[in-house]
Amino acid sequence: MDHDLDLHADGPELTAALVDIASVSGEEGPLADAIERALHRLPHLQVTRHGNTLVARTDLGGAGRGKRERVLLAGHIDTVPHAANFPSEWGSRRRRLSGVGTSDMKSGVAVQLRLAAALNEPNRDVTYVFYECEEVDTARNGLYLLSRNAPETLQADFAVLLEPSGGAVEGGCQGTLRAAITASGARAHTARSWMGKNAIHEAAAILNVLSSWTPRKPVVDGLEYHEGLNAVAISGGVAGNVVPDECVVTVNYRFAPDRSEQEAQAYIRDLFAAWPVDILDSAPAARPGLTSGPAADFVAAVGGEPRAKLGWTDVARFAELGIPAVNYGPGISEIAHTPGEYVEAAKIVAAEQALTRWLTA
Amino acid sequence: MDHDLDLHADGPELTAALVDIASVSGEEGPLADAIERALHRLPHLQVTRHGNTLVARTDLGGAGRGKRERVLLAGHIDTVPHAANFPSEWGSRRRRLSGVGTSDMKSGVAVQLRLAAALNEPNRDVTYVFYECEEVDTARNGLYLLSRNAPETLQADFAVLLEPSGGAVEGGCQGTLRAAITASGARAHTARSWMGKNAIHEAAAILNVLSSWTPRKPVVDGLEYHEGLNAVAISGGVAGNVVPDECVVTVNYRFAPDRSEQEAQAYIRDLFAAWPVDILDSAPAARPGLTSGPAADFVAAVGGEPRAKLGWTDVARFAELGIPAVNYGPGISEIAHTPGEYVEAAKIVAAEQALTRWLTA
């Protein structure tokens, strides 16, 4: 079935239309097709497609007309799997739209599309990116793939990810790493357990480190972060009558952007120096950098009090490319991925107005 | 292939012959057939078969000749799976026989068969039980099945299990129970972990109870036991970015025979009173009872210093039937179930001599 998107419908209506084209990660084809057809009807945009990821660019600077500032607005078009929350449903007074992806983040995609349609002569060149597979492994993430295969499409002076941020500017993001910490022992039959050494009992000391850990809350570029260190898995045991010789605790460390990946890994190795530590994966933090340049202009234009982004987002990918980036979107991050996910219509309209102000003032 | 057993070969040779008829649990048919044929050649025995379990009884008391004391000698004929230790192999001076089941417990079965063949007029009536599936679930255990389906076959005043005991009398056995203890929390995204409560961190308190636990070593009927309390499994974790809401620690409590099953369960519930405790399974201990009656006569006849049995054995099944029982066999329990399992030839001969003394004096 082909879907046609009406970019002249208001933001909330367009959000509902986007939600009602199912696009669980890996199945974004029909929605990407619909967005592509809508973008092709806009003569001021140059549209390219990369898998189910679409890039649409203004080129007002053009050849011989001098270099202008370029900003990038990005949003992922996939959602987590449905949880009896598809298609969308309006509340009785049409203030809230419920359904999978309403907050995370088809309301943001609707704002992108509305701006793409309305602003044929923005005050800066704009690149709109609509990308696939954000909710799954990095290896399939459309933004990651662009950064590896067509990095020139992402070239910009500043980027806005329309991830749910409750209408506030969220700067930077915390890094994340996972590590496996192993307590060892010696097997024995439990009938003569004193012949062995119980690795699960040894792991108590690892858990005690976690229980007594106090989070850092550093202020970086004016925003306060809040670290976290949690066991996310524990496993051990051989059989019901065997003293186990190994117990593995997997921890997730969320670290503020005043620490590099290397510093964060060293910190964890040091904290658990009594045990072997295996770093399983790691992604860097991104500093907010909102105090100068195009990021400062953006904050001034959209207003409100910026806050620190605690989760890891694709903002960090832009940081790796040397492009300052923020999260700014109408959705609510706290209810993302829950069956009761919804978005407030007024937030969608407000975000569109603020971004229009920024791109036309 | 049919196997013929020569019950006139000496105990070590007969052990080798038994080991060389493979009988991993569930595959005891050929060995049961061979034992059945050998027993049928002994006119002083009444032989019945129950699955792959054989029962052979003397009936010297007979009708009208008055009631005599009856003793029971039992041994399982199955082994754990082979571990490149089949068939058997003699050491260079024929002092040690290596191979699966040499200690646990075909050397004991060889002694049973030698006694069955040699003692056509023992001083007590004797029931010989050769049973299947001891190394696997209780539901398939031949002795358990007899106790449920034909308990009259097990009627006796005293029982000897020829389990490996290094030639010593091991009295009673410790009980065993497993319990799941659950620490609870509340899920949250690890980027905002303070919104939740980490159940794995909570489980530290459970492990601390285990680490600081001091085993009881009560003396029961003159024998010293040694309890054990061990985590045998731990599991928790939802996903790499989720604060987990549940962590389950499975513990195995080995308790001395001065505690009933009910007392042992109550003790564990009390020790972990701060958490929900789910008793997964439980088997009672058995008091040694070596200080009087036929058990005391047995100890006096075979000599040596009795010691406490710490593991759980089928002795407890006899205790449930009200029959005093001990472990007494030529194998070495510490190397049972290991690839290097062996038995010493001299121990086989010594066990046969001691039991002959007891049954003929």
Side-chain angles (χ1 to χ4, degrees):
Chain A
M1 181 171 68
D2 281 355
H3 303 270
D4 258 323
L5 294 171
D6 175 8
L7 304 192
H8 299 291
D10 67 18
E13 282 301 331
L14 182 54
T15 300
L18 291 167
V19 169
D20 293 346
I21 304 173
S23 60
V24 174
S25 308
E27 298 163 15
E28 297 94 334
L31 180 54
D33 293 345
I35 292 173
E36 185 178 17
R37 278 196 304 278
L39 293 172
H40 274 306
R41 289 195 291 267
L42 303 172
H44 59 285
L45 295 178
Q46 299 168 358
V47 180
T48 56
R49 182 164 177 161
H50 312 256
N52 286 323
T53 293
L54 292 152
V55 179
R57 300 160 55 95
T58 63
D59 190 18
L60 303 170
R65 280 186 280 171
K67 182 170 161 40
R68 292 166 50 124
E69 184 175 293
R70 175 175 290 278
V71 297
L72 186 149
L73 302 183
H76 65 84
I77 64 171
D78 61 321
T79 71
V80 293
H82 301 176
N85 55 0
F86 179 89
S88 65
E89 193 175 337
W90 280 107
S92 58
R93 288 178 297 178
R94 296 182 78 82
R95 290 191 180 169
R96 285 188 175 180
L97 179 69
S98 297
V100 62
T102 47
S103 261
D104 187 12
M105 55 168 282
K106 291 183 175 176
S107 50
V109 172
V111 171
Q112 286 179 268
L113 286 169
R114 290 274 298 163
L115 296 171
L119 306 180
N120 52 13
E121 279 206 44
N123 58 9
R124 300 158 166 86
D125 263 319
V126 183
T127 304
Y128 302 93
V129 178
F130 305 88
Y131 66 101
E132 64 184 325
C133 286
E134 191 268 351
E135 300 288 8
V136 287
D137 332 350
T138 285
R140 299 164 64 192
N141 180 303
L143 201 61
Y144 166 79
L145 293 174
L146 281 183
S147 74
R148 289 297 175 274
N149 305 331
E152 69 286 357
T153 58
L154 298 181
Q155 177 277 316
D157 300 292
F158 177 63
V160 178
L161 278 162
L162 284 97
E163 286 277 359
S165 73
V169 177
E170 288 186 334
C173 74
Q174 293 199 136
T176 179
L177 72 80
R178 288 187 314 130
I181 301 158
T182 302
S184 295
R187 286 193 195 188
H189 197 289
T190 52
R192 296 174 182 275
S193 52
W194 49 94
M195 309 283 283
K197 185 178 163 203
N198 194 312
I200 296 177
H201 298 192
E202 293 293 308
I206 297 173
L207 300 187
N208 288 335
V209 169
L210 292 167
S211 298
S212 61
W213 186 80
T214 306
R216 293 196 318 135
K217 297 182 183 178
V219 174
V220 182
D221 296 349
L223 302 187
E224 185 183 74
Y225 289 83
H226 188 156
E227 296 196 334
L229 177 62
N230 275 276
V232 292
I234 189 167
S235 67
V238 175
N241 59 356
V242 176
V243 173
D245 56 351
E246 186 173 285
C247 180
V248 179
V249 182
T250 305
V251 302
N252 181 211
Y253 176 39
R254 299 282 177 151
F255 53 96
D258 62 340
R259 281 195 168 154
S260 69
E261 270 182 281
Q262 289 64 34
E263 287 167 342
Q265 294 181 10
Y267 172 74
I268 292 298
R269 291 189 192 282
D270 187 56
L271 186 63
F272 297 102
W275 302 276
V277 172
D278 184 19
I279 303 292
L280 302 176
D281 54 35
S282 162
R287 294 182 73 99
L290 301 181
T291 47
S292 65
D297 295 347
F298 173 81
V299 171
V302 303
E305 188 67 35
R307 62 187 186 200
K309 181 67 182 176
L310 300 178
W312 193 92
T313 76
D314 276 326
V315 159
R317 292 193 206 287
F318 289 106
E320 284 187 278
L321 295 169
I323 302 170
V326 297
N327 287 295
Y328 177 78
I332 304 165
S333 64
E334 286 79 0
I335 55 170
H337 302 195
T338 70
E341 181 178 354
Y342 67 86
V343 67
E344 292 181 17
K347 291 279 191 187
I348 304 173
V349 174
E352 181 183 334
Q353 288 172 342
L355 291 171
T356 302
R357 202 156 58 234
W358 171 51
L359 292 172
T360 56
Chain B
M1 182 172 67
D2 280 356
H3 304 270
D4 257 323
L5 294 171
D6 175 7
L7 304 193
H8 299 292
D10 66 18
E13 281 303 328
L14 181 55
T15 300
L18 291 166
V19 169
D20 293 346
I21 304 173
S23 61
V24 174
S25 307
E27 297 162 16
E28 297 95 334
L31 180 54
D33 294 346
I35 292 173
E36 185 178 18
R37 278 195 305 277
L39 293 172
H40 273 307
R41 288 195 292 268
L42 303 171
H44 60 285
L45 295 178
Q46 299 168 358
V47 180
T48 56
R49 181 163 177 161
H50 313 256
N52 286 324
T53 293
L54 292 153
V55 179
R57 301 159 55 94
T58 63
D59 190 18
L60 305 169
R65 279 186 281 172
K67 181 169 161 40
R68 290 166 50 123
E69 184 176 293
R70 176 174 290 279
V71 297
L72 187 148
L73 302 184
H76 64 84
I77 64 172
D78 61 321
T79 69
V80 294
H82 301 178
N85 55 0
F86 179 89
S88 65
E89 192 176 336
W90 280 107
S92 57
R93 288 177 295 179
R94 295 180 80 81
R95 288 190 182 171
R96 286 188 175 179
L97 179 70
S98 298
V100 62
T102 46
S103 260
D104 187 11
M105 56 170 281
K106 290 183 175 176
S107 50
V109 172
V111 171
Q112 288 179 266
L113 287 169
R114 291 273 299 162
L115 295 171
L119 306 180
N120 53 12
E121 277 206 47
N123 58 8
R124 300 159 166 85
D125 263 319
V126 183
T127 304
Y128 302 93
V129 178
F130 305 87
Y131 64 102
E132 63 185 326
C133 286
E134 191 267 351
E135 300 288 8
V136 289
D137 332 350
T138 284
R140 299 163 65 193
N141 180 302
L143 200 61
Y144 166 79
L145 293 173
L146 281 184
S147 74
R148 290 295 175 273
N149 305 331
E152 69 285 357
T153 58
L154 298 181
Q155 178 275 317
D157 300 291
F158 176 61
V160 178
L161 278 161
L162 284 95
E163 286 277 358
S165 74
V169 177
E170 289 185 335
C173 75
Q174 293 200 137
T176 179
L177 71 80
R178 288 187 313 131
I181 301 158
T182 302
S184 293
R187 286 193 197 189
H189 196 289
T190 51
R192 296 173 183 277
S193 52
W194 48 94
M195 309 283 282
K197 184 178 164 202
N198 194 313
I200 296 176
H201 298 192
E202 294 293 308
I206 297 173
L207 300 187
N208 288 336
V209 170
L210 292 168
S211 297
S212 61
W213 186 78
T214 306
R216 293 196 317 133
K217 298 180 182 179
V219 173
V220 183
D221 295 349
L223 301 187
E224 186 184 74
Y225 288 83
H226 188 155
E227 295 196 333
L229 178 61
N230 275 277
V232 291
I234 188 166
S235 66
V238 176
N241 60 356
V242 176
V243 174
D245 56 352
E246 188 174 282
C247 180
V248 179
V249 182
T250 305
V251 302
N252 181 210
Y253 176 39
R254 300 282 176 151
F255 53 96
D258 61 340
R259 282 195 167 154
S260 70
E261 269 183 280
Q262 289 64 35
E263 287 166 342
Q265 294 180 11
Y267 172 73
I268 292 298
R269 289 189 192 284
D270 187 56
L271 186 64
F272 297 103
W275 302 277
V277 172
D278 185 19
I279 304 292
L280 302 175
D281 54 34
S282 163
R287 294 184 72 98
L290 301 183
T291 48
S292 64
D297 296 346
F298 174 80
V299 171
V302 302
E305 188 68 34
R307 62 186 186 200
K309 181 67 184 174
L310 301 178
W312 194 91
T313 76
D314 275 327
V315 159
R317 291 193 206 286
F318 288 107
E320 285 187 278
L321 295 169
I323 302 170
V326 297
N327 286 295
Y328 176 78
I332 304 165
S333 64
E334 288 78 359
I335 55 171
H337 302 195
T338 69
E341 182 177 354
Y342 67 85
V343 67
E344 292 181 16
K347 292 279 192 185
I348 304 173
V349 174
E352 182 184 335
Q353 288 172 342
L355 291 170
T356 301
R357 202 156 59 233
W358 172 51
L359 292 172
T360 57

